[in-house]
Amino acid sequence: MVRSSLQVIGCLLPLAIAFRFPSNQSSLCHQADSRFPGQVYYAGSSAYTSSQLDYYTGEERELNPGCIFTPTNTADVSAFVKLAASGDISTPKFAFRCGGHSFFAGAANIDKGVTVDLRSLNSFELSADQKTASVGGGSIWSNTVYTSLEEHNLTVAGGRIPGVGVGGFVTGGGLNYLGRRDGFSCDNVYGYEVVLASGKVVYASATSHRDLWLALKGGSNNFGIVTRFDLATHPQGLLLGGALVFNVTQKVLEDHATAFSNYMDPKNFDPIAEMEFNLVYHAGSWVLSDALYYLNPEPTPAVYKEFLDLPGQVANTLIVANMTTVVTNSGVLVPSTVSRATQMNYSFKNANPAVYSQLFTTFQRAADDLSKVEGLVFDFLMQPIPVTNGTNSLGLEPNVKDLVLVDIGAAYNNAADDAFVQAAVQKIFDQHVDILKKAGIFLDWTYLNYAGSNQDPIGTYGDLATLRRVSKKYDPKGLFQTAVPGAFKVFK
């Protein structure tokens, strides 16, 4: 993943413009401004500028919403949705965002319409029995969630780098440090407080609106706006986290092909060991890193011995620390913004070392085609797919321990390179899929939170008909299909 390994390559600078009341603001902006005085902001205001600059990529920052609305509670969200639903929904009107870490334009922002910035919905409450953490839908994992839980020696299955928001992360599935044992983040949701297209607020759980509860476990922004997540807590003290860093040689790559294949072999499965392999090209050179995490405070877990013993290490940042520190350290090389970025992902059943070597070799060759792109960071991120319990909308077989996810990502400086870089990423994606199909191990499943705008993750889940029925049931006029254009839709 580019954001887990790239170095600062610059960000867009805001234009200094004087505040002006826009003459072309949308009617929804007018209505929201009247209904919520002091909570609607226009271009030129500091709140508008701040919200825009907090998006991860330039693709999102370059969009210009007519206004930004900042609800402070569920009632605000409900009233806003009623306003949005009261007019002609054939024209896109609004987007909603939490952390804003999606790569492509329009995932959580919008031109001319209203962007609903949910980040003031950042409440936190721990149940009396300490088994449930109720978290506001606009919360950021690294800001309050982890720190609030650590004093109780607890954690939740949340984001792995600073700045990631709860809402889009969980409804898109959610890769996390607990995934080998506890599944996707969405597998750990007891219930959702959801604002439906009518403005009605419902609670979706295993026993109430169960169909909606399941649909939200991977179905993204298709069904409503989640204003609260009730999450399962897990006992957690100190854990191991950090990375081994290697200069890239053919021997290093061959060693890693074997080590990762062995790590993913079910006979070596350790439910509290989660890792990420990164092969990165930047500024004409290659670097390889193994990000290793272990939920017990063991500095040298047996499951990682093969990696720890590999020759060629140039750095070792592994430490035993609390979750907040581990997450903070994971973001050390991550800029708060990048100029341009694109990605695609694919998945497969664990391969033999020869197949991994093929993937590495073809990825390195692809970098040659991109080497002249200004500011390029080209990343091959590989990690295990969480061992899901299957109680979600993702369509993966439960309790499978040897599924692998690869994200091919590129960050760079200039919009003029967009088409060229995206074509190169597509090319290497196609080559890798061909390798895996020939080996008979390709899995036709796409992870939504790493998906490129040209991918169809929900279409790979396997039960699109059910998701469409849930959409029709709770959103019969299609508000979240037509008025919220971003991300991935159950109806295209």
Side-chain angles (χ1 to χ4, degrees):
M1 181 172 61
V2 171
R3 51 183 172 264
S4 70
S5 56
L6 56 86
Q7 301 180 12
V8 178
I9 63 173
C11 63
L12 300 179
L13 298 176
L15 296 176
I17 56 176
F19 174 79
R20 60 181 177 82
F21 195 84
S23 59
N24 64 340
Q25 65 181 19
S26 70
S27 61
L28 187 53
C29 281
H30 279 296
Q31 294 175 56
D33 201 8
S34 176
R35 175 66 175 79
F36 305 101
Q39 294 175 244
V40 176
Y41 302 97
Y42 299 95
S45 68
S46 59
Y48 183 104
T49 301
S50 176
S51 181
Q52 287 290 93
L53 289 177
D54 278 346
Y55 285 99
Y56 189 71
T57 68
E59 286 92 331
E60 285 280 68
R61 292 193 301 274
E62 69 187 9
L63 299 180
N64 297 296
C67 63
I68 294 175
F69 168 51
T70 57
T72 59
N73 53 47
T74 299
D76 286 353
V77 177
S78 173
F80 173 82
V81 171
K82 289 178 181 178
L83 287 177
S86 65
D88 177 12
I89 67 169
S90 64
T91 301
K93 293 181 178 179
F94 68 99
F96 48 99
R97 61 84 55 100
C98 298
H101 265 250
S102 296
F103 276 19
F104 56 87
N109 203 6
I110 195 168
D111 257 331
K112 299 180 181 179
V114 182
T115 293
V116 182
D117 189 335
L118 297 170
R119 288 176 295 174
S120 291
L121 276 64
N122 59 355
S123 59
F124 176 88
E125 183 177 354
L126 186 62
S127 64
D129 62 6
Q130 299 191 350
K131 292 182 178 180
T132 305
S134 296
V135 177
S139 299
I140 306 298
W141 297 107
S142 56
N143 288 5
T144 57
V145 179
Y146 289 138
T147 54
S148 297
L149 288 165
E150 279 168 358
E151 61 185 88
H152 304 283
N153 289 318
L154 297 171
T155 196
V156 288
R160 299 177 294 183
I161 59 171
V164 173
V166 171
F169 177 86
V170 176
T171 57
L175 302 178
N176 61 87
Y177 294 135
L178 285 61
R180 299 287 275 166
R181 184 188 67 192
D182 301 308
F184 289 89
S185 293
C186 67
D187 291 334
N188 292 264
V189 180
Y190 289 136
Y192 304 85
E193 181 183 76
V194 192
V195 177
L196 301 178
S198 64
K200 181 180 179 180
V201 180
V202 301
Y203 186 73
S205 69
T207 57
S208 175
H209 304 288
R210 181 180 174 86
D211 54 352
L212 179 60
W213 177 67
L214 290 171
L216 286 166
K217 290 172 173 281
S220 192
N221 67 359
N222 283 282
F223 310 102
I225 300 178
V226 180
T227 54
R228 193 187 80 232
F229 295 81
D230 289 346
L231 306 173
T233 62
H234 301 277
Q236 184 62 59
L238 301 179
L239 68 154
L240 176 73
L244 307 176
V245 183
F246 300 78
N247 285 327
V248 176
T249 66
Q250 187 61 35
K251 179 66 164 58
V252 165
L253 290 174
E254 290 172 358
D255 287 344
H256 275 83
T258 300
F260 192 85
S261 180
N262 289 338
Y263 165 77
M264 289 302 303
D265 190 323
K267 71 182 181 183
N268 298 320
F269 178 75
D270 187 328
I272 62 174
E274 167 68 36
M275 72 165 291
E276 303 166 25
F277 167 96
N278 275 277
L279 178 60
V280 183
Y281 176 86
H282 176 58
S285 62
W286 289 92
V287 65
L288 186 158
S289 67
D290 301 312
L292 307 179
Y293 305 96
Y294 201 68
L295 299 181
N296 284 347
E298 298 180 26
T300 56
V303 68
Y304 293 139
K305 186 178 188 306
E306 192 167 359
F307 293 96
L308 292 165
D309 290 346
L310 289 179
Q313 291 181 30
V314 296
N316 181 333
T317 67
L318 292 171
I319 62 168
V320 172
N322 61 26
M323 183 67 75
T324 299
T325 300
V326 168
V327 170
T328 299
N329 289 351
S330 294
V332 168
L333 296 178
V334 182
S336 58
T337 57
V338 297
S339 293
R340 316 295 296 176
T342 189
Q343 64 181 351
M344 295 182 73
N345 76 88
Y346 60 82
S347 50
F348 59 98
K349 195 173 182 66
N350 183 38
N352 62 48
V355 172
Y356 284 112
S357 291
Q358 278 187 280
L359 299 178
F360 301 161
T361 299
T362 51
F363 180 77
Q364 286 186 291
R365 288 173 182 165
D368 294 336
D369 296 335
L370 289 168
S371 60
K372 293 183 180 180
V373 174
E374 184 180 334
L376 176 71
V377 180
F378 194 35
D379 185 19
F380 177 97
L381 168 68
M382 183 168 64
Q383 59 193 299
I385 292 177
V387 182
T388 180
N389 60 19
T391 310
N392 53 48
S393 63
L394 299 173
L396 289 169
E397 185 179 349
N399 303 314
V400 178
K401 301 178 174 66
D402 60 350
L403 301 182
V404 180
L405 178 71
V406 167
D407 180 51
I408 300 171
Y412 50 100
N413 288 355
N414 302 314
D417 291 320
D418 283 354
F420 178 70
V421 174
Q422 290 164 10
V425 170
Q426 180 71 60
K427 179 181 177 181
I428 186 62
F429 173 88
D430 292 341
Q431 289 174 339
H432 281 189
V433 169
D434 184 59
I435 290 169
L436 297 168
K437 285 184 174 179
K438 287 179 178 177
I441 57 175
F442 177 70
L443 178 67
D444 187 15
W445 184 83
T446 303
Y447 177 51
L448 188 144
N449 287 347
Y450 287 178
S453 59
N454 59 336
Q455 294 190 277
D456 178 25
I458 293 176
T460 69
Y461 289 177
D463 197 4
L464 185 58
T466 294
L467 293 177
R468 287 176 170 173
R469 283 196 297 271
V470 174
S471 172
K472 284 288 189 181
K473 177 180 177 180
Y474 292 97
D475 183 11
K477 294 183 179 180
L479 180 75
F480 290 102
Q481 299 304 306
T482 57
V484 183
F488 304 98
K489 296 297 165 185
V490 297
F491 290 98
K492 296 184 183 179

